[in-house]
Amino acid sequence: MRLRSVDKRYLPLLVTIGLFMFMFAAGSVEYTGFFSLQVFFNLLIDNSFLLIAAIGMTFVILSGGIDLSVGSVIALTTMISASLVQNHHWAPLLVIPLVLALGSLIGWGMGSLIHHFNLQPFIVTLAGMFLARGLCYVISIESITIDNEWYKAVSQTKVYVFGKSYISISVIIALCVVAAGIFLAHYTKLGRNIYALGGNEQSSILMGLPVKRTKILVYTLSGFCSSLAGVVFTFYMLSGYGLHALGTELDTIAAVVIGGTLLTGGTGYVAGTLVGVLIQGIIQTLIMFEGTLSSWWTKIAIGMLLFLFILLQKLLGARKKAGELTV
């Protein structure tokens, strides 16, 4: 019985990993040049900002919440960074801590409103989304290109791993965030509190867990990850623009769900989110190698996968309840 319960708990994650391996194998068979280490590394290079934002979203969803401000905070980070570095000639090492602090402050503010006034996370973070996106256009309605030498150097630096295969500095940052997220989720008291909060908030209160602090910290962490994703996105685009990362909040939610985290909270894995992001990246890569399909097929494929994983989660939840009733 114990093995079966473990199998059910890990099933969404195992399905996600199996799906990624199948898609990579299918691409390798179908397209010449697909089976290479650099193609895999490119998945990380192109989606490092999404991975960082998705890690923050994972903790929010694990706690039973949602954060719709992710894409807007990324865009605001790029705009503030570009404006201060390009127009006001601030040093990048002063700008980056500032935007990280600002993103964390936005997350802290939303978390405080959600907890103290018992507001729905959907509404509060929707307001945060509009606020951050609007602030972008207060700074400038045009794109601001960055020609700072430090940003260019970080953007163009290649870290060679095996032979001629390389990754970027953004990938290293993203993988460090994944490692920190896994440690936080599974080896700290805060991580256990987040899982408990997502499982049942009332039970968490009755057990004496710090629900207030945990909930606010979760949104603060999401704001920090969003602003860090914005910093990485600035390296990637070398510009700030109010339309950057449009719809990224939906991509992060999709990556988290495809990675096996329940939308209702309490169950999921940070490592699964990594695979969920890779699946989105490999769909884009397959479409690019095909050459005859529109990029919108990426959204169609991700939508179909979301339906399948939500259905799988529903079926597993129904079986779990049936088993509890039987016992």
Side-chain angles (χ1 to χ4, degrees):
M1 293 294 291
R2 187 173 296 176
L3 288 175
R4 289 182 181 179
S5 64
V6 171
D7 288 342
K8 289 179 182 178
R9 188 178 60 181
Y10 284 101
L11 185 57
L13 178 58
L14 293 174
V15 170
T16 303
I17 295 172
L19 179 62
F20 174 76
M21 294 175 65
F22 171 78
M23 294 174 74
F24 196 87
S28 301
V29 171
E30 184 69 21
Y31 305 110
T32 303
F34 192 94
F35 185 72
S36 72
L37 195 58
Q38 190 57 56
V39 169
F40 176 76
F41 285 158
N42 286 342
L43 299 179
L44 293 170
I45 292 171
D46 295 336
N47 295 283
S48 54
F49 78 95
L50 179 62
L51 177 57
I52 295 170
I55 297 302
M57 183 69 79
T58 302
F59 286 101
V60 172
I61 293 179
L62 281 173
S63 71
I66 201 76
D67 187 355
L68 299 180
S69 69
V70 169
S72 298
V73 173
I74 291 174
L76 180 60
T77 300
T78 68
M79 285 298 291
I80 293 175
S81 300
S83 177
L84 292 178
V85 170
Q86 193 66 26
N87 297 337
H88 300 281
H89 308 292
W90 281 38
L93 296 182
L94 290 177
V95 172
I96 291 174
L98 175 64
V99 293
L100 292 177
L102 179 61
S104 302
L105 181 63
I106 292 172
W108 176 85
M110 292 188 299
S112 298
L113 287 172
I114 290 168
H115 176 76
H116 290 298
F117 296 97
N118 196 26
L119 300 174
Q120 289 296 321
F122 181 91
I123 299 300
V124 174
T125 58
L126 181 66
M129 179 183 76
F130 287 125
L131 174 63
R133 190 71 69 175
L135 287 174
C136 292
Y137 296 105
V138 171
I139 297 171
S140 175
I141 60 173
E142 302 292 338
S143 175
I144 304 175
T145 302
I146 298 176
D147 59 12
N148 179 273
E149 292 301 323
W150 188 87
Y151 270 87
K152 282 184 176 181
V154 173
S155 175
Q156 297 169 5
T157 298
K158 296 178 180 179
V159 180
Y160 289 92
V161 183
F162 298 105
K164 295 182 179 180
S165 299
Y166 64 89
I167 57 176
S168 64
I169 291 177
S170 296
V171 173
I172 296 174
I173 296 172
L175 293 179
C176 288
V177 172
V178 172
I182 292 173
F183 177 78
L184 179 62
H186 302 293
Y187 299 100
T188 66
K189 187 176 180 180
L190 175 60
R192 292 190 292 271
N193 290 340
I194 291 172
Y195 276 97
L197 176 62
N200 192 311
E201 184 173 345
Q202 290 303 316
S203 295
S204 299
I205 294 173
L206 292 174
M207 286 189 293
L209 297 179
V211 171
K212 171 188 173 181
R213 185 175 64 188
T214 302
K215 188 176 291 188
I216 293 175
L217 279 175
V218 162
Y219 286 94
T220 304
L221 177 62
S222 180
F224 173 82
C225 287
S226 297
S227 56
L228 181 58
V231 171
V232 168
F233 197 72
T234 308
F235 295 152
Y236 188 73
M237 300 296 293
L238 286 178
S239 67
Y241 190 31
L243 290 178
H244 276 336
L246 196 63
T248 299
E249 56 278 348
L250 303 180
D251 291 332
T252 59
I253 294 171
V256 173
V257 174
I258 292 172
T261 299
L262 289 178
L263 272 173
T264 52
T267 302
Y269 305 94
V270 173
T273 298
L274 168 60
V275 184
V277 171
L278 290 176
I279 285 179
Q280 291 198 40
I282 204 168
I283 291 172
Q284 295 170 350
T285 304
L286 286 169
I287 290 173
M288 182 184 69
F289 268 82
E290 175 62 29
T292 60
L293 297 175
S294 167
S295 61
W296 284 106
W297 279 96
T298 302
K299 302 297 183 183
I300 295 171
I302 292 172
M304 293 173 64
L305 284 177
L306 270 176
F307 277 125
L308 289 174
F309 275 88
I310 291 172
L311 181 60
L312 176 62
Q313 291 178 0
K314 188 68 176 179
L315 291 174
L316 290 175
R319 287 185 179 182
K320 183 179 179 181
K321 287 183 179 179
E324 292 174 352
L325 289 173
T326 303
V327 174

